[in-house]
Amino acid sequence: MRLTSEQQQLRDEVRRFAREEISPCVTLMEKDERFPYQLVKKMGDKGWLGIPIPTRWGGFGGDFISYIIAIHEISKASAAVGVILSVHSSVCTLPILHYGTKEQHESYLNRLASGSWLGAFALTEPQAGSDAAAIRTKAVRDGQDYVLNGTKLFITNAGAAQLYLTFAVTDPSEGAKGITAFLVESSFHGLSIGNKERKMGLHGSNTCELVYEDLKLDQTQRLGAEGQGFAIAKGSLDGGRIGIAAQALGIAQAALELIMQRFGGKVRLRSAAAQQNQRELTELTAIAEAAKLLVYRAAYMRQEGIRCTKESSMAKLYASDAAVRIAGAAVKMLGMEGCLETAGAERLFRDAKVTQIYEGTNEIHRIVISGQLLRS
Ligand code: CAA
């Protein structure tokens, strides 16, 4: 696939920013697990928190592939910053663009696209992870208002975000079709943010519980129609999973780069160990290239408005497995050095794992892919 000159220009600029601005912050994020507010602000100033948002809403006016390029390049330096951008854009800002009213566009898109606000996606609950339609957070009608009660778990960007795209049950008798989406601002009375989880990887990104307690919402805060929430969640996740796949691809390529730095120029064909390393390097490179093709094919389809449920699941499944495999190989091939914090490989290995788990576990993606295959 050939990138347009605009896409190439953005790629080069993001790559430079990742190297010069993000990479130097990684050690601090690893150590203090502190959310990188300053980096997010700088990215917002460059327009990158609104890449696929039209300029009339304060966005960058780029296409979906440009947005995926940004996550891919950023994640080579920091997968934590990559997921902050991915969740903010794919599953908060874009659903508002696609399903929001004119008033919701006016209230929220400018703030989210400029980065003055950060977005989050609140679907998962203690008893509803993979089985997302089993959520229990309730939104009960009270005249013109809704009253929300419930708990959300493992919410990326929580605490740092000002807007939470929240899914709640409005009609329990309708199952998935009784779920509705709402726009909940962090300042709304009744929303509280739980403790930040300590994770094995992605140390700069926030993951927290959210509690909604008698939170009153005007009906203008509903996104889409009553009962449309699950379709909004799943449709948005089709795009979101391409973002996570791009994040995984960035991790995989960063790990491959570490292996190349270690072994480049040291090829000795006669040594059995060198031959083994060459075989492994060849295989890992092919895996990373295949992941890249799947990621950019899915991004192309999304950009063209072609339904890509199967392709985005395939990209996410394959690229996340590739990230774990290649980062694991980097730790192994760098030997003891690979286990040291200073080498970077162990961080990539820790960061890679969750890409197989969030935005649908890879087991769920196997179900989604086979469901799509058997349906056609
Ligand atoms: N686009 C639009 N609408 C869709 C859709 C899609 N891709 N997929 C489903 N729908 C709608 C349809 O209206 C569908 O009804 P029909 O069957 O009549 O068409 C309805 O939703 C129900 O769909 P399903 O039958 O697929 O629903 P299900 O309950 O069987 O889904 C599941 C099962 C696939 C496992 C689903 O629960 C799922 O995707 N689970 C994973 C949850 C997940 O990805 N969570 C991510 C959390 S966010 C996160 O991780 C962010 C982060 O931190 C990085």
Side-chain angles (χ1 to χ4, degrees):
M1 195 190 78
R2 181 176 291 181
L3 300 181
T4 63
S5 59
E6 288 85 3
Q7 290 164 348
Q8 284 177 30
Q9 199 184 330
L10 179 71
R11 179 200 60 197
D12 294 346
E13 219 182 302
V14 177
R15 195 176 276 174
R16 197 170 331 110
F17 180 85
R19 199 176 47 235
E20 292 173 7
E21 305 268 354
I22 300 180
S23 289
C25 299
V26 166
T27 312
L28 199 62
M29 281 191 270
E30 280 300 297
K31 200 162 151 264
D32 293 355
E33 304 194 15
R34 213 182 294 151
F35 187 89
Y37 287 101
Q38 282 182 5
L39 284 177
V40 172
K41 160 96 179 56
K42 284 183 189 172
M43 284 162 51
D45 291 346
K46 288 179 178 293
W48 298 342
L49 289 218
I51 292 175
I53 305 301
T55 47
R56 73 188 171 111
W57 298 120
F60 189 81
D63 51 24
F64 194 80
I65 290 177
S66 300
Y67 160 59
I68 290 302
I69 289 170
I71 298 179
H72 174 189
E73 290 301 328
I74 286 169
S75 300
K76 288 182 189 171
S78 165
V81 180
V83 77
I84 293 167
L85 176 62
S86 179
V87 166
H88 164 84
S89 310
S90 298
V91 286
C92 187
T93 314
L94 280 171
I96 296 173
L97 178 70
H98 292 146
Y99 303 99
T101 60
K102 192 168 161 287
E103 291 72 27
Q104 288 168 341
H105 288 166
E106 274 162 9
S107 305
Y108 294 118
L109 286 180
N110 258 297
R111 289 189 270 190
L112 290 165
S114 66
S116 63
W117 273 27
L118 194 68
F121 179 79
L123 175 68
T124 302
E125 297 186 2
Q127 78 301 329
S130 285
D131 186 5
I135 59 168
R136 289 189 199 144
T137 293
K138 277 188 301 194
V140 177
R141 273 271 193 187
D142 178 15
Q144 295 295 299
D145 298 333
Y146 291 91
V147 180
L148 263 67
N149 278 288
T151 301
K152 299 287 179 182
L153 205 61
F154 307 140
I155 306 305
T156 299
N157 287 347
Q162 288 76 20
L163 191 65
Y164 297 86
L165 175 53
T166 300
F167 297 86
V169 177
T170 40
D171 185 349
S173 67
E174 284 288 332
K177 297 210 163 83
I179 294 174
T180 302
F182 296 94
L183 297 166
V184 177
E185 298 184 15
S186 57
S187 61
F188 287 176
H189 186 73
L191 178 66
S192 44
I193 316 282
N195 287 335
K196 186 171 157 178
E197 304 288 356
R198 297 200 64 202
K199 307 187 291 289
M200 71 183 278
L202 301 185
H203 284 175
S205 100
N206 281 11
T207 306
C208 311
E209 185 186 63
L210 299 178
V211 180
Y212 302 76
E213 213 174 348
D214 293 331
L215 187 146
K216 259 193 174 201
L217 274 183
D218 189 273
Q219 61 178 343
T220 55
Q221 295 304 113
R222 193 184 67 222
L223 185 70
E226 259 192 29
Q228 200 192 353
F230 201 65
I232 293 177
K234 297 281 295 282
S236 306
L237 284 167
D238 281 353
R241 289 160 178 171
I242 307 171
I244 299 305
Q247 181 204 25
L249 176 62
I251 298 171
Q253 289 185 325
L256 206 50
E257 181 63 31
L258 286 180
I259 299 172
M260 290 299 289
Q261 279 168 14
R262 176 76 169 75
F263 292 102
K266 292 188 186 165
V267 177
R268 279 188 227 96
L269 277 173
R270 271 170 295 139
S271 138
Q275 284 179 11
Q276 169 59 27
N277 282 338
Q278 285 170 51
R279 270 198 298 275
E280 187 144 9
L281 184 59
T282 306
E283 204 179 317
L284 298 176
T285 304
I287 290 171
E289 288 293 313
K292 187 173 173 189
L293 291 173
L294 284 172
V295 169
Y296 281 93
R297 177 185 66 163
Y300 172 77
M301 290 176 72
R302 184 78 177 171
Q303 178 170 298
E304 296 302 304
I306 304 166
R307 173 96 182 242
C308 60
T309 304
K310 176 170 71 119
E311 290 75 12
S312 84
S313 279
M314 281 176 156
K316 178 346 190 137
L317 170 66
Y318 192 86
S320 60
D321 282 352
V324 171
R325 163 99 194 263
I326 299 172
V331 173
K332 182 189 75 174
M333 290 169 82
L334 267 63
M336 259 321 282
E337 210 182 296
C339 299
L340 303 181
E341 263 179 29
T342 44
E346 64 87 36
R347 171 178 58 83
L348 293 170
F349 188 50
R350 287 186 287 102
D351 285 352
K353 189 63 199 169
V354 76
T355 66
Q356 292 177 316
I357 297 170
Y358 59 22
E359 296 221 10
T361 66
N362 282 0
E363 293 314 317
I364 288 298
H365 287 293
R366 288 186 176 90
I367 295 170
V368 171
I369 294 163
S370 62
Q372 294 289 317
L373 286 172
L374 297 174
R375 163 188 298 213
S376 54

